[in-house]
Amino acid sequence: MAAGKGAGKSVSLWDNLRIRFIVCFFGVFVCYFYYGILQETITRGNYGGEKFTFARTLVFIQCIINSIFAKILIQSFESSKVDHTKSWLYGLCSLSYLGAMVSSNSALQYVNYPTQVLGKSCKPIPVMILGVTILRKKYPLAKYLCVLLIVGGVALFLYKPNKASAVADDHIFGFGEILLLVSLTLDGLTGVAQDHMRARFQTGANHMMLNINMWSTLVLGLAVLWTGEVWSFLNFAERHPSIFYNILLFGLTSALGQTFIFMTVVYFGPLTCSIVTTTRKFFTILGSVILFGNVMTEMQWIGTILVFLGLGLDAKFGKSPKKH
């Protein structure tokens, strides 16, 4: 009888792990590659002498689209699944999540896209520091060596030798880099909170995406109304109506990309996800250099390769052994 039951069970194409991985990989790659192009187009675009300075409104629209997308996914595929995660935990997580996104988008007003991507790629550094200081974790020696490689790569990327002809804004560490540092630290805190939710409440990917983005929409909605930024943005968009189309696509690629990232974490774990996103980031830098003419020096290319080498080795060898 058991054999008859097993034989009658149909196996879908989605049950094939290789097919599932290919879908997740290309989903993350395509969505975030286009997301990066749109992000640079919106924040650093030519608006007839005007600058785009509405990072909070941009993230607010992004969070609304993410919430709607996650709600549709839950209604379609997980309507019977009950989420037991505490609301206050989502609220707390949304603050660090929000801060990281706003800081990251604001940084693009001061640094070019390759610098922003490389800065955001240094996520293992705050994760490790927070793990050691807050969670009292112990890491293998390989982890420290990989992080040292990443730090060395970033130092090479940011290093600018003194030149007589150097322009005034040829800084080594300015406001844009400080914003990236804030974004990284908040990313690390978000990761710690999400790990706790998964371990304690077995929080599903779509529920996490929905609730964190709903809380973020509430907080940012109040912020953009309080500061009046939303009205300034609407006036700006009235003068440059093409921005609406770019922002809508930006939100959709973000929502789709987040879905594929959460799927990768759930089906293949955070290790595989970090390898996929690291690969994607390197090609995003290449795309930015080719499409937007963001010229990089030889020293910056060496620094970039060192950072991604460190990330790849960290994904492979820098993990703590599992406790039994």
Side-chain angles (χ1 to χ4, degrees):
M1 285 293 287
K5 267 185 183 178
K9 196 178 179 181
S10 62
V11 178
S12 71
L13 197 64
W14 185 244
D15 290 327
N16 185 320
L17 275 180
R18 195 170 290 174
I19 298 290
R20 201 181 282 186
F21 177 75
I22 289 167
V23 170
C24 288
F25 178 84
F26 280 103
V28 170
F29 193 90
V30 172
C31 288
Y32 277 105
F33 186 80
Y34 195 36
Y35 169 89
I37 291 167
L38 287 164
Q39 190 178 32
E40 190 159 14
T41 303
I42 294 163
T43 55
R44 294 173 68 86
N46 181 15
Y47 300 106
E50 286 187 88
K51 263 191 170 186
F52 184 88
T53 56
F54 312 102
R56 281 173 297 194
T57 307
L58 183 63
V59 176
F60 174 60
I61 296 166
Q62 192 179 341
C63 289
I64 292 171
I65 296 170
N66 285 347
S67 302
I68 294 167
F69 202 82
K71 185 69 177 173
I72 292 167
L73 287 173
I74 290 168
Q75 290 297 326
S76 305
F77 305 107
E78 297 178 0
S79 53
S80 59
K81 191 176 178 183
V82 181
D83 182 30
H84 299 288
T85 313
K86 305 289 182 191
S87 291
W88 65 266
L89 201 54
Y90 280 131
L92 211 61
C93 189
S94 72
L95 292 175
S96 57
Y97 167 81
L98 258 186
M101 285 213 293
V102 171
S103 303
S104 177
N105 280 321
S106 300
L108 277 172
Q109 292 168 36
Y110 306 95
V111 297
N112 63 20
Y113 195 69
T115 305
Q116 192 240 36
V117 174
L118 194 83
K120 291 285 282 181
S121 298
C122 301
K123 207 172 180 177
I125 299 170
V127 168
M128 192 175 84
I129 293 168
L130 290 166
V132 170
T133 54
I134 296 174
L135 302 176
R136 304 291 175 192
K137 279 187 176 182
K138 287 185 178 179
Y139 294 99
L141 180 63
K143 182 84 173 176
Y144 290 98
L145 292 173
C146 291
V147 168
L148 196 64
L149 205 59
I150 294 165
V151 172
V154 171
L156 277 178
F157 188 91
L158 294 176
Y159 174 70
K160 294 180 178 76
N162 291 324
K163 292 177 185 172
S165 61
V167 290
D169 66 344
D170 193 18
H171 57 273
I172 289 174
F173 204 86
F175 190 58
E177 286 82 359
I178 290 167
L179 284 170
L180 287 176
L181 200 61
V182 169
S183 180
L184 271 177
T185 307
L186 292 171
D187 263 339
L189 287 169
T190 305
V192 168
Q194 287 175 331
D195 280 345
H196 176 72
M197 282 189 269
R198 274 194 291 266
R200 182 86 186 270
F201 302 102
Q202 288 77 49
T203 312
N206 294 326
H207 280 100
M208 194 181 285
M209 184 177 167
L210 171 68
N211 287 284
I212 290 174
N213 279 289
M214 276 179 67
W215 273 95
S216 300
T217 301
L218 176 67
V219 173
L220 264 186
L222 292 171
V224 294
L225 284 169
W226 178 263
T227 58
E229 186 184 299
V230 67
W231 312 120
S232 303
F233 166 76
L234 288 171
N235 288 330
F236 179 87
E238 202 177 329
R239 293 191 296 275
H240 311 282
S242 62
I243 202 170
F244 278 120
Y245 175 72
N246 285 335
I247 287 176
L248 181 64
L249 278 179
F250 175 74
L252 287 171
T253 51
S254 163
L256 268 172
Q258 269 199 19
T259 306
F260 283 118
I261 278 183
F262 282 129
M263 276 167 62
T264 309
V265 170
V266 169
Y267 295 133
F268 302 100
L271 167 57
T272 305
C273 187
S274 68
I275 295 169
V276 169
T277 52
T278 300
T279 310
R280 187 275 304 174
K281 282 172 183 171
F282 187 75
F283 283 99
T284 302
I285 286 180
L286 284 179
S288 179
V289 168
I290 294 162
L291 295 169
F292 293 94
N294 287 314
V295 180
M296 283 165 63
T297 64
E298 280 181 23
M299 189 83 85
Q300 286 179 316
W301 276 117
I302 293 166
T304 303
I305 290 163
L306 280 179
V307 167
F308 286 102
L309 183 65
L311 287 167
L313 292 171
D314 175 50
K316 181 75 177 169
F317 305 109
K319 303 295 166 187
S320 302
K322 285 185 181 179
K323 291 178 184 175
H324 296 290

